[in-house]
């Protein structure tokens, strides 16, 4: 949890460095481009595939895409990785924090009122090959600005923001 917040902070940080970015947020895309999709495994796979293809188009146009999706299955993330040329895809692992639950969906899922909810009765497969991991420290989540700063530092160190 915290994907959209981090995506916004990251986009702001990139903007302050003169880099144009565009956020592809799972929740938002599901109101438009992906409104025909549900949360069955095959629908999630198609959701992520389409998002990857859109990210590729944006990347061709010279924009940095920040994709904030749960994308719970390793295979789907690796498919996106393969879609983009080497080093044009970085995966950040964000620890989930059920306690926030701003939409009350975890509570409904725990009560069995939503089926197939990620982290409750549908798996989240943690990455084994992610480029960057954003962790809680002493049980506390760092601020979005701090985490976005860590991502930007990583991108700078790898030379991804040079051109
Ligand atoms: N069954 C189930 N499992 C997981 N998530 C669910 C489900 N039903 C609804 N939601 C809400 O949908 C948001 C996640 O959409 P994503 O497109 O990112 O999911 S996925 O990548 O296709 O797995 C996610 O919103 P965020 O709060 O932005 O994470 C959920 O609140
Ligand atoms: N680093 C953070 N520290 C504390 N609260 C946060 C942090 N990131 C997000 N939040 C809060 O957690 C809630 C869910 O964040 P959001 O970005 O909407 O998550 P997601 O997009 O993964 O559903 C929001 O109320 C947000 O303000």
């Amino acid at each position: 949890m915290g994907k959209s917040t981090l995506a916004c902070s990251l986009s702001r940080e990139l903007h302050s460095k003169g880099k144009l970015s565009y956020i592809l947020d799972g929740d938002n895309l599901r109101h438009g481009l992906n409104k025909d999709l549900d949360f069955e495994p095959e629908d999630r796979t198609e959701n992520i595939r389409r998002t990857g293809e859109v990210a590729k188009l944006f990347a061709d146009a010279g924009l940095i895409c920040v994709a904030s999706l749960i994308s719970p299955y390793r295979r789907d993330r690796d498919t996106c990785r393969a879609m983009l040329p080497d080093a044009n895809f970085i995966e950040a692992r964000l620890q989930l924090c059920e306690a926030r639950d701003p939409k009350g969906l975890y509570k409904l899922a725990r009560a069995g009122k939503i089926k197939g909810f990620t982290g409750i009765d549908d798996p989240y497969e943690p990455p084994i090959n992610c480029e960057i991991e954003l962790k809680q420290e002493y049980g506390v989540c760092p601020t979005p600005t701090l985490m976005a700063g860590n991502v930007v530092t990583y991108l700078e160190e790898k030379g991804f923001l040079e051109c």
Side-chain angles (χ1 to χ4, degrees), residues 2-138:
K3 301 180 296 300
S4 311
T5 309
L6 174 61
C8 285
S9 289
L10 180 54
S11 190
R12 262 198 307 273
E13 288 290 313
L14 289 167
H15 184 258
S16 74
K17 305 217 170 256
K19 300 289 168 193
L20 204 53
S21 65
Y22 192 83
I23 299 172
L24 295 171
D25 189 79
D27 219 13
N28 292 342
L29 291 173
R30 281 175 174 278
H31 288 108
L33 179 68
N34 295 334
K35 71 192 291 187
D36 56 322
L37 302 176
D38 207 331
F39 288 91
E40 296 299 320
E42 59 274 20
D43 282 351
R44 294 186 197 249
T45 296
E46 177 59 10
N47 179 35
I48 288 140
R49 187 194 69 80
R50 284 186 203 168
T51 307
E53 291 289 356
V54 172
K56 195 173 170 186
L57 295 176
F58 275 103
D60 280 347
L63 267 79
I64 297 172
C65 261
V66 183
S68 42
L69 281 79
I70 298 178
S71 194
Y73 311 136
R74 219 171 267 145
R75 185 198 53 217
D76 295 337
R77 299 192 299 266
D78 283 341
T79 301
C80 283
R81 193 183 293 272
M83 244 183 234
L84 290 150
D86 262 4
N88 277 10
F89 177 97
I90 77 154
E91 182 183 341
R93 177 183 181 192
L94 197 57
Q95 283 184 349
L96 288 172
C97 175
E98 181 179 339
R100 283 193 210 129
D101 200 12
K103 301 182 198 159
L105 293 180
Y106 280 100
K107 209 168 161 203
L108 289 175
R110 285 266 180 231
K113 292 185 181 150
I114 305 179
K115 299 281 178 219
F117 200 81
T118 305
I120 308 288
D121 57 350
D122 207 64
Y124 175 77
E125 298 171 357
I128 39 183
N129 53 354
C130 67
E131 281 73 11
I132 180 162
E133 188 161 4
L134 302 165
K135 291 187 191 162
Q136 295 190 345
E137 279 158 25
Y138 307 106

